[in-house]
Amino acid sequence: NAGVTQTPKFQVLKTGQSMTLQCAQDMNHEYMSWYRQDPGMGLRLIHYSVGAGITDQGEVPNGYNVSRSTTEDFPLRLLSAAPSQTSVYFCASTGDRGVTGELFFGEGSRLTVL
Amino acid sequence: RKEVEQDPGPFNVPEGATVAFNCTYSNSASQSFFWYRQDCRKEPKLLMSVYSSGNEDGRFTAQLNRASQYISLLIRDSKLSDSATYLCVAPRFDTGRRALTFGSGTRLQVQP
């Protein structure tokens, strides 16, 4: 059972480049989200989605775009990478739209922006 | 004030010790809380949920104190394998946003 799959696991970008982090889940979860994790700051919510066609901003959305065309996929796009976006990115999903239950995380994508 | 605050540690304890972490939260409307465990360079995984006064699962006990707005995690008979970062988690309520807020984590190192 794959669960939540993120690709790539590692990526190095130059300032100004764009890229997409992929996230797919096979649990038919309606709720999906993207977090970034930085030392000493915990996980911070970037964007989330409560179903196909519906997305909303989290607490640190600037510089990132998302879309949700299918239940399974929730890609995160970096429009013009900056060194401040160097971080570990986690995608997470849950079957509970109210988010009162367990979040299932992908293994993370480590991004370095030079 | 942060929505969820934790002592970052590290807590260094010998095997077999009992250790407790506290976590304070700012939103008094929160009804459910969680403790997640995160191993080094891995993704967070749910350890326990806390819905009312508390929850116990083997060596782990989570308690909720609504009056003082804190959650605690007690680990008895610590094992080397308990070494990890423990994240306190609460739901967000601002502007109808549906999400979980994570604390920065408390690092536990169990030593032989």
Side-chain angles (χ1 to χ4, degrees):
Chain A
N1 197 358
V4 179
T5 303
Q6 289 182 234
T7 56
K9 288 188 168 46
F10 301 92
Q11 183 71 49
V12 178
L13 290 178
K14 294 182 180 178
T15 296
Q17 288 184 315
S18 62
M19 77 157 300
T20 298
L21 299 178
Q22 301 291 346
C23 177
Q25 52 90 10
D26 61 359
M27 298 174 281
N28 201 32
H29 284 170
E30 291 190 59
Y31 183 97
M32 298 185 73
S33 56
W34 277 101
Y35 287 85
R36 60 177 288 175
Q37 186 172 34
D38 302 293
M41 300 192 72
L43 287 113
R44 292 181 292 168
L45 182 67
I46 304 171
H47 286 285
Y48 70 98
S49 169
V50 297
I54 306 168
T55 63
D56 203 352
Q57 296 182 349
E59 56 184 305
V60 289
N62 292 339
Y64 307 95
N65 272 358
V66 292
S67 59
R68 186 89 180 275
S69 56
T70 67
T71 299
E72 294 77 20
D73 300 299
F74 191 43
L76 178 72
R77 298 182 186 84
L78 280 71
L79 308 172
S80 177
S84 60
Q85 294 179 303
T86 293
S87 188
V88 180
Y89 292 85
F90 288 101
C91 180
S93 73
T94 179
D96 178 4
R97 293 182 71 175
V99 204
T100 57
E102 181 176 4
L103 271 181
F104 295 86
F105 285 85
E107 294 183 338
S109 298
R110 296 181 180 277
L111 175 66
T112 300
V113 182
L114 303 175
Chain B
R1 181 183 173 185
K2 287 186 179 179
E3 291 190 40
V4 177
E5 293 200 68
Q6 296 182 249
D7 182 341
F11 283 62
N12 296 303
V13 301
E15 272 188 289
T18 295
V19 61
F21 312 134
N22 278 346
C23 163
T24 58
Y25 61 93
S26 61
N27 192 328
S28 60
S30 298
Q31 296 293 311
S32 56
F33 302 87
F34 309 91
W35 284 101
Y36 277 71
R37 170 191 169 130
Q38 186 173 25
D39 293 307
C40 187
R41 301 178 77 82
K42 297 287 189 180
E43 72 274 22
K45 292 183 179 178
L46 181 66
L47 177 67
M48 296 183 75
S49 303
V50 189
Y51 291 110
S52 54
S53 60
N55 190 13
E56 184 172 329
D57 183 4
R59 297 183 294 108
F60 297 84
T61 300
Q63 291 192 315
L64 170 60
N65 185 316
R66 291 192 188 279
S68 302
Q69 293 186 210
Y70 77 83
I71 313 122
S72 63
L73 178 66
L74 181 77
I75 305 175
R76 291 180 295 276
D77 189 23
S78 299
K79 313 290 186 191
L80 294 176
S81 58
D82 293 334
S83 297
T85 296
Y86 292 83
L87 306 173
C88 176
V89 184
R92 296 180 69 101
F93 289 96
D94 54 311
T95 62
R97 190 173 291 159
R98 298 178 197 139
L100 295 179
T101 297
F102 286 76
S104 300
T106 298
R107 193 155 68 89
L108 172 65
Q109 184 67 47
V110 181
Q111 296 164 337

Coordinates of all heavy atoms in Angstrom, one line a residue, chain B residues 17-102:
Chain B
A17 N 13.9 5.3 32.3 CA 13.4 6.5 33.0 C 12.0 6.8 32.5 O 11.6 6.4 31.5 CB 14.4 7.6 32.8
T18 N 11.4 7.6 33.4 CA 10.1 8.2 33.0 C 10.3 9.7 32.6 O 11.0 10.4 33.3 CB 9.1 8.1 34.2 OG1 8.8 6.7 34.4 CG2 7.8 8.8 33.8
V19 N 9.7 10.1 31.5 CA 10.0 11.4 31.0 C 8.6 12.0 30.6 O 7.7 11.3 30.1 CB 11.0 11.5 29.9 CG1 10.5 10.7 28.7 CG2 11.3 12.9 29.5
A20 N 8.4 13.3 30.9 CA 7.2 14.0 30.5 C 7.5 15.3 29.7 O 8.4 16.0 30.1 CB 6.4 14.3 31.8
F21 N 6.7 15.5 28.7 CA 6.7 16.7 27.9 C 5.4 17.5 28.1 O 4.4 16.9 28.1 CB 6.9 16.4 26.4 CG 8.0 15.4 26.1 CD1 7.7 14.4 25.2 CD2 9.2 15.5 26.7 CE1 8.7 13.5 24.9 CE2 10.2 14.6 26.3 CZ 9.9 13.6 25.4
N22 N 5.5 18.8 28.1 CA 4.3 19.6 28.1 C 4.2 20.4 26.9 O 5.2 20.7 26.2 CB 4.3 20.5 29.3 CG 3.9 19.9 30.6 OD1 3.3 18.8 30.6 ND2 4.1 20.5 31.7
C23 N 3.0 20.8 26.5 CA 2.7 21.6 25.4 C 1.6 22.5 25.7 O 0.6 22.0 26.3 CB 2.3 20.6 24.2 SG 1.5 21.4 22.8
T24 N 1.7 23.8 25.4 CA 0.6 24.7 25.7 C 0.0 25.2 24.4 O 0.7 25.3 23.4 CB 1.1 26.0 26.5 OG1 2.1 26.6 25.7 CG2 1.7 25.6 27.8
Y25 N -1.3 25.4 24.4 CA -2.0 25.9 23.2 C -2.8 27.1 23.6 O -3.2 27.4 24.7 CB -2.9 24.8 22.7 CG -4.0 24.3 23.6 CD1 -5.3 24.9 23.6 CD2 -3.8 23.3 24.6 CE1 -6.3 24.5 24.5 CE2 -4.8 22.9 25.4 CZ -6.0 23.5 25.4 OH -7.0 23.1 26.2
S26 N -3.0 27.9 22.6 CA -3.6 29.3 22.8 C -5.1 29.3 22.5 O -5.8 30.1 23.1 CB -2.9 30.3 21.9 OG -3.1 30.0 20.6
N27 N -5.6 28.4 21.6 CA -7.0 28.5 21.3 C -7.9 27.6 22.2 O -7.8 26.4 22.1 CB -7.2 28.0 19.8 CG -8.6 28.4 19.3 OD1 -9.6 28.4 20.0 ND2 -8.7 28.6 18.0
S28 N -8.6 28.3 23.1 CA -9.4 27.5 24.1 C -10.6 26.7 23.4 O -11.2 25.9 24.1 CB -10.0 28.5 25.1 OG -10.8 29.4 24.5
A29 N -10.9 27.0 22.2 CA -12.0 26.3 21.5 C -11.5 24.9 21.0 O -12.4 24.1 20.6 CB -12.5 27.1 20.3
S30 N -10.2 24.6 21.0 CA -9.7 23.4 20.5 C -10.3 22.2 21.3 O -10.3 22.3 22.5 CB -8.2 23.3 20.5 OG -7.6 24.4 19.7
Q31 N -10.8 21.2 20.6 CA -11.4 20.0 21.2 C -10.5 18.8 21.2 O -10.6 17.9 22.1 CB -12.7 19.7 20.6 CG -13.8 20.8 20.7 CD -14.2 21.0 22.2 OE1 -14.5 20.1 22.9 NE2 -14.1 22.3 22.6
S32 N -9.7 18.7 20.2 CA -8.9 17.5 20.0 C -7.4 17.9 19.7 O -7.2 18.9 19.2 CB -9.4 16.6 18.8 OG -9.5 17.4 17.6
F33 N -6.6 17.0 20.2 CA -5.1 17.3 20.1 C -4.4 16.0 19.8 O -5.0 14.9 19.9 CB -4.6 17.8 21.4 CG -5.3 19.1 21.9 CD1 -6.4 19.0 22.6 CD2 -4.8 20.3 21.5 CE1 -7.1 20.1 23.1 CE2 -5.4 21.5 21.9 CZ -6.6 21.4 22.7
F34 N -3.2 16.1 19.3 CA -2.5 14.9 18.9 C -1.0 15.1 19.3 O -0.5 16.2 19.4 CB -2.5 14.8 17.4 CG -3.9 14.9 16.8 CD1 -4.5 16.1 16.4 CD2 -4.7 13.7 16.7 CE1 -5.8 16.2 15.9 CE2 -6.0 13.8 16.2 CZ -6.5 15.0 15.8
W35 N -0.4 13.9 19.5 CA 1.1 13.8 19.6 C 1.6 13.0 18.4 O 1.1 11.9 18.2 CB 1.5 13.2 20.9 CG 1.4 14.0 22.1 CD1 0.4 14.0 23.0 CD2 2.3 15.0 22.5 NE1 0.7 15.0 24.0 CE2 1.9 15.6 23.7 CE3 3.5 15.5 22.0 CZ2 2.5 16.6 24.4 CZ3 4.2 16.5 22.6 CH2 3.7 17.1 23.8
Y36 N 2.5 13.6 17.6 CA 3.1 12.9 16.5 C 4.6 12.7 16.9 O 5.2 13.5 17.6 CB 3.1 13.8 15.3 CG 1.8 13.7 14.5 CD1 0.6 14.3 15.0 CD2 1.8 13.0 13.2 CE1 -0.6 14.2 14.2 CE2 0.6 12.9 12.5 CZ -0.6 13.5 13.0 OH -1.7 13.4 12.3
R37 N 5.1 11.6 16.4 CA 6.5 11.3 16.6 C 7.2 11.5 15.2 O 6.7 11.1 14.2 CB 6.6 9.8 17.0 CG 8.1 9.3 17.0 CD 8.2 7.9 17.3 NE 9.5 7.4 17.0 CZ 10.2 6.7 17.8 NH1 9.7 6.2 19.0 NH2 11.5 6.3 17.5
Q38 N 8.4 12.1 15.3 CA 9.2 12.2 14.0 C 10.6 11.8 14.3 O 11.3 12.4 15.1 CB 9.2 13.7 13.6 CG 9.9 13.9 12.2 CD 9.7 15.3 11.7 OE1 9.6 16.2 12.4 NE2 9.8 15.4 10.3
D39 N 11.0 10.7 13.6 CA 12.4 10.3 13.7 C 13.3 11.2 12.8 O 12.8 11.8 11.8 CB 12.5 8.8 13.2 CG 11.8 7.9 14.2 OD1 12.1 8.0 15.4 OD2 10.9 7.1 13.8
C40 N 14.6 11.2 13.0 CA 15.5 12.0 12.3 C 15.4 11.8 10.8 O 15.5 10.7 10.3 CB 16.9 11.8 12.8 SG 18.1 12.9 12.1
R41 N 15.1 12.9 10.1 CA 15.0 12.9 8.6 C 13.9 12.0 8.1 O 14.0 11.5 6.9 CB 16.4 12.5 8.0 CG 17.5 13.4 8.4 CD 18.9 12.9 7.9 NE 19.0 13.2 6.4 CZ 19.3 14.4 6.0 NH1 19.6 15.4 6.8 NH2 19.4 14.6 4.7
K42 N 12.9 11.9 8.9 CA 11.7 11.1 8.4 C 10.5 11.9 8.6 O 10.5 13.0 9.1 CB 11.6 9.8 9.3 CG 12.7 8.9 9.2 CD 12.7 8.1 7.9 CE 13.7 7.0 7.9 NZ 13.8 6.3 6.6
E43 N 9.4 11.4 8.1 CA 8.1 12.1 8.2 C 7.5 11.9 9.5 O 7.7 10.9 10.2 CB 7.1 11.6 7.0 CG 6.5 10.2 7.2 CD 7.4 9.1 6.7 OE1 8.7 9.3 6.6 OE2 6.9 8.0 6.5
P44 N 6.6 12.9 10.0 CA 5.9 12.7 11.2 C 4.9 11.6 11.1 O 4.3 11.3 10.1 CB 5.2 14.0 11.4 CG 5.9 15.0 10.5 CD 6.4 14.2 9.4
K45 N 4.7 10.9 12.2 CA 3.7 9.8 12.3 C 2.9 10.0 13.6 O 3.4 10.3 14.6 CB 4.3 8.4 12.2 CG 5.0 8.1 10.9 CD 5.5 6.7 10.8 CE 6.1 6.5 9.4 NZ 6.7 5.1 9.3
L46 N 1.6 9.7 13.5 CA 0.7 9.8 14.7 C 1.1 8.9 15.8 O 1.2 7.7 15.5 CB -0.7 9.6 14.3 CG -1.8 9.8 15.4 CD1 -1.8 11.2 15.9 CD2 -3.1 9.3 14.9
L47 N 1.3 9.4 17.0 CA 1.5 8.6 18.1 C 0.3 8.4 19.0 O -0.1 7.3 19.3 CB 2.6 9.3 19.0 CG 3.0 8.6 20.3 CD1 3.7 7.2 20.1 CD2 3.9 9.5 21.2
M48 N -0.4 9.5 19.3 CA -1.6 9.4 20.1 C -2.5 10.6 19.8 O -2.1 11.6 19.5 CB -1.3 9.4 21.6 CG -0.4 8.3 22.1 SD -0.2 8.4 23.9 CE -1.8 7.9 24.4
S49 N -3.8 10.3 20.0 CA -4.8 11.4 20.0 C -5.3 11.7 21.4 O -5.3 10.8 22.2 CB -6.0 10.9 19.1 OG -5.6 10.6 17.8
V50 N -5.7 12.9 21.7 CA -6.2 13.3 23.0 C -7.5 14.0 22.8 O -7.5 15.1 22.3 CB -5.2 14.2 23.7 CG1 -5.6 14.4 25.2 CG2 -3.8 13.6 23.6
Y51 N -8.6 13.4 23.2 CA -9.9 14.0 22.9 C -10.6 14.6 24.2 O -11.3 15.6 24.1 CB -10.8 13.1 22.2 CG -10.4 12.7 20.8 CD1 -9.9 11.5 20.5 CD2 -10.5 13.7 19.8 CE1 -9.5 11.2 19.2 CE2 -10.1 13.4 18.5 CZ -9.6 12.1 18.2 OH -9.2 11.9 16.9
S52 N -10.4 13.9 25.3 CA -11.1 14.4 26.5 C -10.0 14.6 27.6 O -9.1 15.4 27.4 CB -12.2 13.4 26.9 OG -11.6 12.1 27.0
S53 N -10.1 13.9 28.6 CA -9.2 14.2 29.7 C -7.9 13.5 29.4 O -6.8 14.0 29.9 CB -9.8 13.6 31.0 OG -10.0 12.2 30.9
G54 N -7.8 12.5 28.6 CA -6.6 11.8 28.4 C -6.7 10.5 27.6 O -7.8 10.1 27.3
N55 N -5.5 9.9 27.4 CA -5.5 8.7 26.6 C -4.2 7.9 27.0 O -3.2 8.5 27.3 CB -5.4 9.0 25.1 CG -5.7 7.8 24.3 OD1 -6.1 6.8 24.7 ND2 -5.4 8.0 23.0
E56 N -4.4 6.6 27.1 CA -3.2 5.8 27.5 C -3.0 4.7 26.5 O -4.0 4.0 26.1 CB -3.4 5.2 28.9 CG -2.2 4.4 29.4 CD -2.3 4.0 30.9 OE1 -2.9 4.7 31.6 OE2 -1.7 2.9 31.2
D57 N -1.8 4.4 26.1 CA -1.5 3.4 25.2 C -0.1 2.7 25.6 O 0.9 3.3 25.2 CB -1.4 3.9 23.7 CG -1.2 2.8 22.7 OD1 -1.1 1.6 23.1 OD2 -1.0 3.2 21.5
G58 N -0.2 1.7 26.3 CA 1.0 1.0 26.8 C 1.8 1.9 27.7 O 1.4 2.4 28.7
R59 N 3.1 2.2 27.3 CA 4.0 3.0 28.1 C 3.7 4.5 27.9 O 4.3 5.3 28.6 CB 5.4 2.7 27.7 CG 5.9 1.3 28.0 CD 7.3 1.1 27.6 NE 7.6 1.2 26.2 CZ 8.3 2.3 25.7 NH1 8.7 3.2 26.4 NH2 8.5 2.3 24.4
F60 N 2.8 4.9 27.0 CA 2.5 6.3 26.7 C 1.2 6.7 27.3 O 0.2 6.1 27.1 CB 2.5 6.5 25.2 CG 3.9 6.2 24.6 CD1 4.2 4.8 24.2 CD2 4.8 7.1 24.3 CE1 5.4 4.5 23.6 CE2 6.0 6.8 23.7 CZ 6.3 5.6 23.4
T61 N 1.2 7.9 27.9 CA 0.0 8.5 28.5 C 0.0 10.0 28.1 O 0.9 10.7 28.3 CB -0.1 8.4 30.0 OG1 0.0 7.0 30.4 CG2 -1.4 9.0 30.5
A62 N -1.1 10.3 27.4 CA -1.3 11.7 27.1 C -2.5 12.3 27.9 O -3.5 11.7 28.1 CB -1.7 11.9 25.6
Q63 N -2.3 13.5 28.4 CA -3.3 14.1 29.3 C -3.6 15.5 28.8 O -2.7 16.2 28.3 CB -2.9 14.1 30.7 CG -2.8 12.7 31.3 CD -2.7 12.8 32.8 OE1 -1.9 13.5 33.4 NE2 -3.5 12.0 33.5
L64 N -4.8 15.9 29.0 CA -5.3 17.3 28.6 C -5.8 18.0 29.8 O -6.6 17.5 30.5 CB -6.4 17.1 27.5 CG -7.2 18.4 27.1 CD1 -6.3 19.4 26.5 CD2 -8.3 18.0 26.2
N65 N -5.3 19.2 30.0 CA -5.7 20.1 31.0 C -6.3 21.3 30.4 O -5.6 22.3 30.0 CB -4.6 20.5 31.9 CG -5.0 21.3 33.1 OD1 -5.8 22.2 33.0 ND2 -4.5 21.0 34.3
R66 N -7.7 21.4 30.2 CA -8.3 22.5 29.5 C -8.3 23.8 30.3 O -8.1 24.9 29.7 CB -9.8 22.1 29.3 CG -10.0 21.0 28.2 CD -11.4 20.9 27.8 NE -11.6 19.8 27.0 CZ -11.4 19.7 25.7 NH1 -10.8 20.7 25.1 NH2 -11.6 18.6 25.0
A67 N -8.3 23.7 31.6 CA -8.3 24.9 32.4 C -7.0 25.7 32.2 O -7.0 26.9 32.1 CB -8.5 24.6 33.9
S68 N -5.9 24.9 32.2 CA -4.6 25.6 32.0 C -4.1 25.6 30.5 O -3.0 26.1 30.2 CB -3.5 24.9 32.9 OG -3.9 24.9 34.2
Q69 N -4.9 24.9 29.7 CA -4.6 24.9 28.2 C -3.2 24.3 28.0 O -2.4 24.9 27.3 CB -4.7 26.3 27.6 CG -6.2 26.7 27.6 CD -6.4 28.0 26.8 OE1 -7.3 28.8 27.1 NE2 -5.6 28.3 25.8
Y70 N -3.0 23.1 28.5 CA -1.8 22.4 28.1 C -2.1 20.9 28.0 O -3.1 20.3 28.5 CB -0.7 22.6 29.1 CG -0.8 21.9 30.4 CD1 -0.3 20.5 30.5 CD2 -1.2 22.5 31.6 CE1 -0.4 19.9 31.7 CE2 -1.3 21.8 32.8 CZ -0.8 20.5 32.9 OH -0.9 19.8 34.0
I71 N -1.3 20.2 27.2 CA -1.3 18.8 26.9 C 0.0 18.2 27.4 O 1.1 18.9 27.2 CB -1.5 18.5 25.4 CG1 -2.6 19.3 24.9 CG2 -1.8 17.0 25.2 CD1 -2.2 20.2 23.7
S72 N 0.0 17.1 27.9 CA 1.3 16.4 28.3 C 1.4 15.1 27.7 O 0.4 14.4 27.4 CB 1.4 16.4 29.9 OG 0.3 15.5 30.4
L73 N 2.6 14.6 27.6 CA 2.9 13.3 27.1 C 3.9 12.7 28.1 O 4.9 13.2 28.4 CB 3.5 13.3 25.7 CG 3.9 11.9 25.2 CD1 2.7 11.0 24.9 CD2 4.7 12.0 23.9
L74 N 3.5 11.5 28.7 CA 4.3 10.8 29.6 C 4.8 9.5 29.0 O 4.0 8.8 28.5 CB 3.5 10.5 30.9 CG 4.2 9.8 32.0 CD1 5.2 10.8 32.8 CD2 3.3 9.2 33.0
I75 N 6.1 9.3 29.1 CA 6.6 8.0 28.6 C 7.3 7.3 29.7 O 8.2 7.8 30.4 CB 7.7 8.3 27.5 CG1 7.1 9.1 26.3 CG2 8.2 6.9 26.9 CD1 8.1 9.5 25.3
R76 N 6.8 6.1 30.0 CA 7.3 5.3 31.1 C 8.3 4.3 30.6 O 8.2 3.9 29.4 CB 6.2 4.6 31.9 CG 5.3 5.5 32.7 CD 4.2 4.7 33.4 NE 3.3 4.1 32.4 CZ 2.3 4.7 31.9 NH1 2.0 5.9 32.2 NH2 1.5 4.1 31.0
D77 N 9.3 3.9 31.4 CA 10.2 2.8 31.0 C 10.8 3.1 29.6 O 10.7 2.3 28.7 CB 9.5 1.5 31.1 CG 10.5 0.3 30.9 OD1 11.7 0.5 31.2 OD2 10.0 -0.8 30.4
S78 N 11.5 4.2 29.5 CA 12.0 4.7 28.2 C 12.9 3.6 27.6 O 13.7 3.0 28.2 CB 12.8 6.0 28.4 OG 12.0 7.0 28.9
K79 N 12.7 3.5 26.3 CA 13.6 2.6 25.4 C 14.4 3.4 24.5 O 14.1 4.6 24.2 CB 12.7 1.7 24.6 CG 11.5 1.0 25.3 CD 12.0 -0.1 26.3 CE 10.9 -0.8 26.9 NZ 11.3 -1.7 28.0
L80 N 15.6 2.8 24.1 CA 16.4 3.5 23.1 C 15.6 3.9 21.9 O 15.8 5.0 21.3 CB 17.6 2.6 22.7 CG 18.6 2.3 23.8 CD1 19.7 1.3 23.3 CD2 19.3 3.6 24.4
S81 N 14.7 3.1 21.5 CA 13.9 3.3 20.3 C 12.9 4.5 20.5 O 12.3 4.9 19.5 CB 13.1 2.0 19.9 OG 12.3 1.6 21.0
D82 N 12.8 5.0 21.7 CA 11.9 6.2 21.9 C 12.6 7.5 21.5 O 11.9 8.5 21.4 CB 11.5 6.3 23.4 CG 10.5 5.1 23.8 OD1 9.9 4.5 22.9 OD2 10.6 4.8 25.0
S83 N 13.9 7.4 21.2 CA 14.6 8.6 20.8 C 14.0 9.1 19.5 O 14.0 8.5 18.5 CB 16.1 8.3 20.6 OG 16.7 7.9 21.8
A84 N 13.5 10.4 19.6 CA 12.9 11.0 18.4 C 12.5 12.4 18.8 O 12.7 12.8 20.0 CB 11.6 10.2 18.0
T85 N 11.8 13.1 17.9 CA 11.2 14.4 18.2 C 9.7 14.2 18.3 O 9.1 13.6 17.5 CB 11.6 15.4 17.2 OG1 13.0 15.7 17.2 CG2 10.9 16.8 17.5
Y86 N 9.1 14.7 19.4 CA 7.7 14.6 19.6 C 7.0 15.9 19.4 O 7.4 17.0 20.0 CB 7.5 14.1 21.1 CG 8.0 12.7 21.2 CD1 9.3 12.4 21.5 CD2 7.1 11.6 21.0 CE1 9.8 11.1 21.6 CE2 7.6 10.3 21.1 CZ 8.9 10.1 21.4 OH 9.4 8.8 21.5
L87 N 6.0 15.9 18.5 CA 5.4 17.1 18.0 C 4.0 17.2 18.6 O 3.2 16.2 18.5 CB 5.2 17.1 16.5 CG 6.5 16.9 15.7 CD1 6.2 16.7 14.2 CD2 7.5 18.1 15.9
C88 N 3.7 18.3 19.2 CA 2.3 18.5 19.8 C 1.5 19.2 18.7 O 2.0 20.1 18.0 CB 2.5 19.4 21.0 SG 0.9 19.9 21.7
V89 N 0.3 18.8 18.5 CA -0.5 19.2 17.3 C -1.9 19.6 17.8 O -2.6 18.9 18.5 CB -0.6 18.2 16.2 CG1 -1.3 18.7 15.0 CG2 0.8 17.7 15.9
A90 N -2.4 20.7 17.3 CA -3.8 21.2 17.6 C -4.5 21.7 16.3 O -3.8 22.1 15.4 CB -3.8 22.3 18.6
P91 N -5.8 21.6 16.2 CA -6.5 22.1 15.0 C -6.4 23.6 15.0 O -6.3 24.3 16.0 CB -7.9 21.7 15.2 CG -7.9 20.7 16.3 CD -6.7 21.0 17.2
R92 N -6.5 24.2 13.8 CA -6.6 25.6 13.6 C -8.0 26.0 13.4 O -8.8 25.3 12.9 CB -5.8 26.1 12.3 CG -4.3 25.8 12.3 CD -3.8 26.3 11.0 NE -3.8 27.8 10.9 CZ -2.8 28.6 11.1 NH1 -1.7 28.1 11.5 NH2 -3.0 29.9 11.0
F93 N -8.3 27.2 13.8 CA -9.7 27.7 13.7 C -9.8 29.1 13.0 O -10.9 29.5 12.8 CB -10.4 27.8 15.0 CG -10.7 26.5 15.6 CD1 -9.8 25.9 16.5 CD2 -11.8 25.8 15.3 CE1 -10.0 24.6 17.1 CE2 -12.1 24.5 15.8 CZ -11.2 24.0 16.7
D94 N -8.7 29.7 12.7 CA -8.8 31.0 12.1 C -9.4 31.0 10.7 O -9.1 30.2 9.9 CB -7.4 31.7 12.0 CG -6.4 30.8 11.3 OD1 -6.3 29.6 11.6 OD2 -5.7 31.4 10.4
T95 N -10.3 31.9 10.5 CA -11.0 32.1 9.2 C -11.5 30.9 8.6 O -11.5 30.7 7.4 CB -10.1 32.9 8.2 OG1 -8.9 32.1 8.0 CG2 -9.6 34.2 8.8
G96 N -12.0 29.9 9.4 CA -12.5 28.7 8.9 C -11.5 27.8 8.3 O -11.9 26.8 7.6
R97 N -10.3 28.1 8.4 CA -9.2 27.2 7.8 C -9.2 25.9 8.5 O -9.3 25.8 9.7 CB -7.9 27.9 8.0 CG -6.8 27.3 7.2 CD -5.5 28.2 7.4 NE -5.7 29.5 6.6 CZ -5.0 30.6 6.9 NH1 -4.1 30.6 7.9 NH2 -5.2 31.7 6.2
R98 N -9.2 24.8 7.7 CA -9.1 23.5 8.2 C -7.7 23.0 8.1 O -7.2 22.7 7.0 CB -10.1 22.6 7.5 CG -11.5 23.0 7.6 CD -12.4 22.1 6.8 NE -13.7 22.7 6.5 CZ -14.4 22.6 5.4 NH1 -13.8 22.0 4.4 NH2 -15.5 23.2 5.3
A99 N -7.0 22.9 9.2 CA -5.7 22.5 9.2 C -5.2 22.2 10.6 O -6.0 22.4 11.6 CB -4.8 23.6 8.6
L100 N -4.1 21.6 10.7 CA -3.5 21.3 12.0 C -2.3 22.2 12.2 O -1.5 22.4 11.3 CB -3.1 19.8 12.1 CG -4.2 18.8 12.0 CD1 -3.6 17.4 12.1 CD2 -5.2 19.0 13.1
T101 N -2.1 22.7 13.4 CA -1.0 23.5 13.8 C 0.0 22.6 14.6 O -0.4 22.0 15.6 CB -1.4 24.7 14.6 OG1 -2.2 25.5 13.8 CG2 -0.1 25.5 15.0
F102 N 1.2 22.6 14.1 CA 2.3 21.8 14.8 C 3.2 22.6 15.6 O 3.6 23.7 15.2 CB 3.1 21.1 13.7 CG 2.5 20.0 13.0 CD1 1.5 20.2 12.0 CD2 2.8 18.7 13.3 CE1 0.9 19.1 11.4 CE2 2.2 17.6 12.7 CZ 1.2 17.8 11.7

